[in-house]
Amino acid sequence: MEFTAETIAGFLDGEVIGDKQATVHTVSSIEQGKAGALAYLSNPKYEPYLYTTGASIVLVDKTFAPAQPVAATLIKVDDAAACVVKLLSLYEAAKPRRKGISAHASISEKATVGENCYVGDFAVVEAGAKIGEGCQIYPQVYVGAGVEIGDGTTLYPGVKIYEGCKIGARCILHAGAVIGADGFGFMPNAEGGFDKIPQLGNVIIEDDVEIGANTCIDRAKTDSTIIRRGVKLDNLIQIGHNVEIGANTVSSAQTGIAGTSKVGSNCFLAGQVGVADHVTIGNRVQVGSKSGLDKDVPDGEIRFGYPALPGMQYHRSAAVFKRLPELDKRVRDLEKGIDELKNR
């Protein structure tokens, strides 16, 4: 699909500076822009690229004034970054959705599949499963017995949902995500080995959740592992059994949350955060990359490091850590001076 600058400006309530009939059919970064691409400038750091970009149209803030001539057509808007998100959402919504059930899919006669669904090649839907309307079930997805999936949810290739789990409406599960595998539960026995603890619960994922590729969410030992409404999980995340993650919390890749821990709502966990078992994290907590939490965190706190410290305490400690070689030399010099005084 192609859009003119005039059409885009009308949709975004923007002002065209340049050729109103300039057209674009794709989106790119401003530094890699080519003819036919729409780019945007929201960070002043990237302004030099504006004067060299090959993009046909560039979105800029209304307050922006170029320091030199610009070859591209500009569209001035209230918030360039936010407008790009609106355009991407519009483009995504305009893409045709797949429909129809493949003859190569295996769907139990005791399963229910809603209207306007797509079920791809070699997908398996077991007995008692209920799939809502307008769902997209890509090839090689496994939907276990008794699983419930809400309207408009998308399961990309290779997603596996074990028996009894519940997925809400408008969720997106990316390739390779595994929902409802056994929690990591073992008990030492008299012979020096381990006995497996049966994991009899399930996983409940509420509406509007997005889960990244190869992320794993374990079923509960009893009751449920719960992912609340609006949670966004990146790729390669491990969520242990009986964990609960509050609404609208976001976590970056390679985070691991051990069993029975609870994360509040509107939290942000950066990449490679580790949370020990039975830890409670409050609401609106922010945790820096590679931090390790083994103690409860109150509402609204910021944590960095391992073991994780409050934000300012961590920064003060980091400042001292950087000076350790210098401080070590000073201590050695002082010790040498003391020894010389003793010898006198």
Side-chain angles (χ1 to χ4, degrees), residues 42-58:
S42 62
N43 187 335
K45 174 182 174 182
Y46 293 93
E47 182 179 343
Y49 293 109
L50 176 64
Y51 310 116
T52 60
T53 186
S56 299
I57 299 174
V58 180

Side-chain angles (χ1 to χ4, degrees), residues 229-269:
R229 176 188 293 269
V231 167
K232 311 300 180 189
L233 301 179
D234 201 355
N235 304 331
L236 297 167
I237 288 175
Q238 164 63 28
I239 306 296
H241 62 87
N242 291 94
V243 166
E244 182 174 339
I245 299 182
N248 300 313
T249 281
V250 176
S251 180
S252 297
Q254 297 184 356
T255 289
I257 303 177
T260 320
S261 287
K262 297 188 185 306
V263 181
S265 60
N266 298 102
C267 294
F268 175 73
L269 280 61

Side-chain angles (χ1 to χ4, degrees), residues 3-343:
F3 300 93
T4 66
E6 188 173 35
T7 301
I8 295 170
F11 178 71
L12 299 176
D13 192 24
E15 175 190 2
V16 178
I17 308 296
D19 182 6
K20 292 185 178 181
Q21 298 307 311
T23 60
V24 292
H25 61 269
T26 187
V27 178
S28 73
S29 62
I30 192 168
E31 61 267 36
Q32 296 183 1
K34 297 180 180 179
L38 171 75
Y40 72 100
L41 175 67
S42 62
N43 187 335
K45 174 182 174 182
Y46 293 93
E47 182 179 343
Y49 293 109
L50 176 64
Y51 310 116
T52 60
T53 186
S56 299
I57 299 174
V58 180
L59 298 181
V60 297
D61 292 342
K62 285 183 176 178
T63 56
F64 175 76
Q68 53 185 282
V70 179
T73 294
L74 300 183
I75 299 178
K76 290 193 168 186
V77 293
D78 290 329
D79 185 335
C83 284
V84 166
V85 174
K86 286 179 66 175
L87 287 175
L88 291 174
S89 298
L90 177 67
Y91 182 80
E92 179 70 17
K95 288 169 61 177
R97 289 174 63 84
R98 299 188 182 194
K99 292 184 180 180
I101 297 175
S102 168
H104 299 296
S106 175
I107 302 176
S108 169
E109 294 179 354
K110 296 181 180 179
T112 302
V113 179
E115 295 182 0
N116 300 316
C117 284
Y118 160 67
V119 182
D121 292 348
F122 308 111
V124 175
V125 181
E126 299 278 26
K130 297 179 181 179
I131 298 175
E133 295 183 4
C135 291
Q136 302 274 287
I137 312 296
Y138 278 72
Q140 298 183 332
V141 167
Y142 174 78
V143 178
V147 167
E148 297 181 15
I149 298 174
D151 296 344
T153 284
T154 299
L155 308 180
Y156 281 106
V159 169
K160 306 295 187 285
I161 304 176
Y162 285 42
E163 67 276 4
C165 294
K166 298 181 180 181
I167 314 295
R170 301 174 302 282
C171 293
I172 300 173
L173 278 64
H174 288 280
V178 178
I179 310 300
D182 281 358
F184 192 69
F186 299 91
M187 182 176 292
N189 59 34
E191 290 76 33
F194 294 90
D195 294 328
K196 182 177 176 63
I197 301 172
Q199 306 290 296
L200 304 179
N202 70 345
V203 175
I204 296 175
I205 296 174
E206 295 185 347
D207 298 343
D208 302 304
V209 170
E210 184 157 351
I211 296 172
N214 292 320
T215 284
C216 297
I217 302 176
D218 291 346
R219 70 193 311 108
K221 180 170 66 176
T222 60
D223 305 312
S224 300
T225 301
I226 302 175
I227 312 298
R228 297 291 184 192
R229 176 188 293 269
V231 167
K232 311 300 180 189
L233 301 179
D234 201 355
N235 304 331
L236 297 167
I237 288 175
Q238 164 63 28
I239 306 296
H241 62 87
N242 291 94
V243 166
E244 182 174 339
I245 299 182
N248 300 313
T249 281
V250 176
S251 180
S252 297
Q254 297 184 356
T255 289
I257 303 177
T260 320
S261 287
K262 297 188 185 306
V263 181
S265 60
N266 298 102
C267 294
F268 175 73
L269 280 61
Q272 296 186 334
V273 166
V275 181
D277 56 315
H278 300 277
V279 169
T280 298
I281 298 173
N283 301 322
R284 304 179 308 284
V285 169
Q286 299 180 50
V287 185
S289 297
K290 298 187 176 181
S291 297
L293 284 77
D294 60 356
K295 293 180 175 60
D296 293 353
V297 182
D299 291 351
E301 293 281 323
I302 298 174
R303 290 288 188 271
F304 294 97
Y306 181 82
L309 300 172
M312 289 308 299
Q313 183 181 347
Y314 170 82
H315 289 302
R316 287 194 293 266
S317 300
V320 173
F321 180 79
K322 287 187 289 188
R323 295 178 57 212
L324 283 180
E326 173 194 342
L327 294 173
D328 178 63
K329 184 178 183 302
R330 290 176 63 183
V331 169
R332 290 176 184 275
D333 290 344
L334 287 170
E335 288 177 337
K336 184 178 179 182
I338 291 171
D339 288 341
E340 288 175 355
L341 288 173
K342 285 180 178 180
N343 291 332

